[in-house]
Amino acid sequence: MQAEAIISSLELAVEKIGDPAPRVYERLFREQPGLEELFFMDNDGGVRGSMLQQCFDCIFDAIGEGVICRSVIPSECERHVSYGVEPDVFFSFFPVIRDTFREALGDDWTPEMAQAWETLLADLKHHTREAA
Ligand code: HEM
Protein backbone atom coordinates (compact mmCIF):
# COMPACT_ATOMS: atom_id res chain seq x y z
CA MET A 1 0.00 0.00 0.00
CA GLN A 2 2.68 2.46 1.05
CA ALA A 3 4.86 1.59 -1.93
CA GLU A 4 1.95 1.93 -4.35
CA ALA A 5 1.02 5.39 -3.05
CA ILE A 6 4.63 6.63 -3.23
CA ILE A 7 5.13 5.23 -6.72
CA SER A 8 1.92 6.75 -8.06
CA SER A 9 2.84 10.11 -6.56
CA LEU A 10 6.19 9.98 -8.36
CA GLU A 11 4.71 8.75 -11.64
CA LEU A 12 1.95 11.34 -11.69
CA ALA A 13 4.38 14.14 -10.87
CA VAL A 14 6.73 13.13 -13.67
CA GLU A 15 3.77 12.98 -16.07
CA LYS A 16 2.85 16.52 -15.10
CA ILE A 17 6.21 18.24 -14.80
CA GLY A 18 8.79 15.96 -16.47
CA ASP A 19 12.21 16.07 -14.82
CA PRO A 20 11.55 17.16 -11.23
CA ALA A 21 15.17 18.27 -10.59
CA PRO A 22 14.80 21.99 -11.45
CA ARG A 23 11.76 22.36 -9.17
CA VAL A 24 13.32 20.39 -6.32
CA TYR A 25 16.44 22.59 -6.29
CA GLU A 26 14.45 25.77 -6.86
CA ARG A 27 12.42 24.92 -3.72
CA LEU A 28 15.50 23.90 -1.71
CA PHE A 29 17.33 27.15 -2.46
CA ARG A 30 14.18 29.23 -1.85
CA GLU A 31 13.64 27.63 1.56
CA GLN A 32 17.34 27.61 2.54
CA PRO A 33 19.08 30.28 0.45
CA GLY A 34 22.51 29.64 2.00
CA LEU A 35 22.75 26.21 0.37
CA GLU A 36 22.99 27.30 -3.26
CA GLU A 37 26.58 28.48 -2.96
CA LEU A 38 27.66 24.97 -1.89
CA PHE A 39 27.08 23.86 -5.48
CA PHE A 40 29.31 26.54 -7.03
CA MET A 41 31.50 23.88 -8.69
CA ASP A 42 28.51 22.14 -10.25
CA ASN A 43 28.37 24.15 -13.46
CA ASP A 44 26.43 21.63 -15.54
CA GLY A 45 24.06 20.40 -12.81
CA GLY A 46 25.64 16.93 -12.92
CA VAL A 47 26.25 16.73 -9.17
CA ARG A 48 22.74 17.97 -8.39
CA GLY A 49 21.38 15.36 -10.81
CA SER A 50 23.24 12.44 -9.24
CA MET A 51 22.45 13.65 -5.74
CA LEU A 52 18.72 13.60 -6.53
CA GLN A 53 19.12 10.22 -8.25
CA GLN A 54 20.78 8.85 -5.12
CA CYS A 55 17.79 10.09 -3.10
CA PHE A 56 15.36 8.34 -5.44
CA ASP A 57 17.41 5.14 -5.13
CA CYS A 58 17.07 5.44 -1.34
CA ILE A 59 13.34 6.14 -1.60
CA PHE A 60 12.69 3.12 -3.83
CA ASP A 61 14.81 0.96 -1.58
CA ALA A 62 13.10 2.22 1.58
CA ILE A 63 9.65 1.25 0.25
CA GLY A 64 10.99 -2.13 -0.86
CA GLU A 65 13.82 -4.14 0.61
CA GLY A 66 15.18 -1.40 2.83
CA VAL A 67 18.78 -2.57 2.50
CA ILE A 68 20.62 0.09 0.52
CA CYS A 69 19.18 3.11 2.30
CA ARG A 70 20.30 1.72 5.64
CA SER A 71 23.95 2.03 4.63
CA VAL A 72 23.86 4.80 2.00
CA ILE A 73 22.05 7.37 4.15
CA PRO A 74 24.29 7.19 7.22
CA SER A 75 27.47 7.20 5.11
CA GLU A 76 26.32 10.07 2.83
CA CYS A 77 25.13 11.96 5.89
CA GLU A 78 28.54 11.64 7.48
CA ARG A 79 30.32 12.58 4.24
CA HIS A 80 28.10 15.67 3.87
CA VAL A 81 29.32 17.04 7.21
CA SER A 82 32.61 17.69 5.40
CA TYR A 83 30.68 19.91 2.91
CA GLY A 84 29.33 21.81 5.94
CA VAL A 85 25.92 20.10 5.65
CA GLU A 86 24.73 19.06 9.12
CA PRO A 87 22.48 15.98 9.52
CA ASP A 88 19.25 18.00 9.95
CA VAL A 89 19.97 19.95 6.77
CA PHE A 90 20.98 16.74 4.97
CA PHE A 91 17.65 15.14 5.89
CA SER A 92 15.66 18.24 4.89
CA PHE A 93 16.22 17.38 1.23
CA PHE A 94 13.67 14.55 1.48
CA PRO A 95 10.72 16.72 2.64
CA VAL A 96 11.69 19.16 -0.13
CA ILE A 97 11.29 16.31 -2.63
CA ARG A 98 7.91 15.38 -1.09
CA ASP A 99 6.70 18.99 -1.15
CA THR A 100 7.75 19.39 -4.77
CA PHE A 101 5.65 16.38 -5.76
CA ARG A 102 2.73 17.48 -3.61
CA GLU A 103 2.73 20.85 -5.31
CA ALA A 104 3.03 19.28 -8.77
CA LEU A 105 0.08 16.97 -8.10
CA GLY A 106 -2.22 19.66 -6.73
CA ASP A 107 -5.72 18.18 -6.39
CA ASP A 108 -4.42 14.73 -7.39
CA TRP A 109 -2.45 14.50 -4.12
CA THR A 110 -4.39 11.95 -2.02
CA PRO A 111 -4.56 11.34 1.76
CA GLU A 112 -2.98 7.91 1.09
CA MET A 113 -0.01 9.58 -0.56
CA ALA A 114 0.29 12.03 2.34
CA GLN A 115 0.29 9.17 4.85
CA ALA A 116 2.72 7.05 2.82
CA TRP A 117 5.17 9.96 2.58
CA GLU A 118 4.92 10.64 6.34
CA THR A 119 5.88 7.02 7.04
CA LEU A 120 8.65 7.09 4.44
CA LEU A 121 10.11 10.34 5.82
CA ALA A 122 10.07 8.91 9.35
CA ASP A 123 12.06 5.87 8.11
CA LEU A 124 14.57 8.01 6.25
CA LYS A 125 14.94 10.28 9.27
CA HIS A 126 15.64 7.27 11.43
CA HIS A 127 18.52 6.23 9.11
CA THR A 128 19.84 9.80 9.16
CA ARG A 129 19.79 9.84 12.96
CA GLU A 130 21.92 6.70 13.00
CA ALA A 131 24.72 8.78 11.52
CA ALA A 132 24.28 11.83 13.74
C1 HEM B 1 19.88 19.83 1.65
C2 HEM B 1 20.60 18.72 1.76
C3 HEM B 1 21.87 18.49 1.00
C4 HEM B 1 22.85 19.39 0.63
C5 HEM B 1 22.92 20.87 0.93
C6 HEM B 1 23.84 18.65 -0.11
C7 HEM B 1 25.01 19.18 -0.63
C8 HEM B 1 25.90 18.51 -1.44
C9 HEM B 1 27.11 19.09 -1.98
C10 HEM B 1 27.60 20.51 -1.70
C11 HEM B 1 27.69 18.15 -2.75
C12 HEM B 1 29.02 18.26 -3.50
C13 HEM B 1 28.97 19.22 -4.59
C14 HEM B 1 30.24 19.21 -5.39
O1 HEM B 1 31.02 18.23 -5.34
O2 HEM B 1 30.44 20.20 -6.07
C15 HEM B 1 26.85 16.96 -2.71
C16 HEM B 1 27.11 15.80 -3.39
C17 HEM B 1 26.36 14.66 -3.28
N1 HEM B 1 25.24 14.48 -2.48
FE1 HEM B 1 24.34 15.90 -1.36
N2 HEM B 1 23.45 17.32 -0.21
C18 HEM B 1 22.26 17.19 0.47
C19 HEM B 1 21.53 16.02 0.62
C20 HEM B 1 21.85 14.81 0.07
C21 HEM B 1 21.11 13.60 0.26
C22 HEM B 1 19.88 13.46 1.15
C23 HEM B 1 21.74 12.62 -0.47
C24 HEM B 1 21.43 11.16 -0.63
C25 HEM B 1 20.89 10.40 0.28
C26 HEM B 1 22.88 13.23 -1.13
C27 HEM B 1 23.74 12.60 -1.99
C28 HEM B 1 24.80 13.18 -2.63
C29 HEM B 1 25.67 12.49 -3.59
C30 HEM B 1 25.54 11.03 -4.04
C31 HEM B 1 26.63 13.43 -3.99
C32 HEM B 1 27.76 13.22 -4.99
C33 HEM B 1 27.27 13.44 -6.38
C34 HEM B 1 28.41 13.36 -7.40
O3 HEM B 1 29.53 13.80 -7.08
O4 HEM B 1 28.15 12.89 -8.50
N3 HEM B 1 22.92 14.57 -0.79
N4 HEM B 1 25.79 17.21 -1.89
Side-chain angles (χ1 to χ4, degrees):
M1 273 303 278
Q2 190 214 6
E4 259 171 51
I6 299 286
I7 290 166
S8 18
S9 72
L10 299 179
E11 282 177 350
L12 265 175
V14 170
E15 249 171 54
K16 284 179 184 248
I17 62 170
D19 178 9
R23 289 185 193 221
V24 167
Y25 284 99
E26 187 264 318
R27 177 180 283 273
L28 178 69
F29 300 148
R30 179 162 31 94
E31 291 182 358
Q32 302 181 67
L35 297 181
E36 188 162 10
E37 67 190 34
L38 293 176
F39 293 91
F40 73 102
M41 303 262 282
D42 185 28
N43 297 319
D44 63 358
V47 170
R48 275 166 288 182
S50 33
M51 196 170 114
L52 187 57
Q53 187 54 53
Q54 170 93 279
C55 291
F56 285 129
D57 291 347
C58 288
I59 288 170
F60 282 114
D61 179 64
I63 59 174
E65 293 197 346
V67 175
I68 298 167
C69 62
R70 217 173 279 159
S71 63
V72 166
I73 292 182
S75 69
E76 281 295 340
C77 183
E78 220 177 290
R79 198 170 65 89
H80 276 66
V81 174
S82 67
Y83 301 142
V85 177
E86 294 301 323
D88 280 349
V89 176
F90 174 83
F91 172 75
S92 72
F93 198 47
F94 290 111
V96 167
I97 295 174
R98 188 264 319 266
D99 294 346
T100 304
F101 287 130
R102 184 172 56 195
E103 190 179 37
L105 260 64
D107 290 344
D108 292 329
W109 182 259
T110 65
E112 289 74 24
M113 289 173 186
Q115 183 54 56
W117 272 93
E118 278 306 317
T119 309
L120 169 64
L121 291 177
D123 279 358
L124 297 171
K125 188 166 205 157
H126 175 72
H127 297 315
T128 308
R129 289 267 165 265
E130 284 167 4

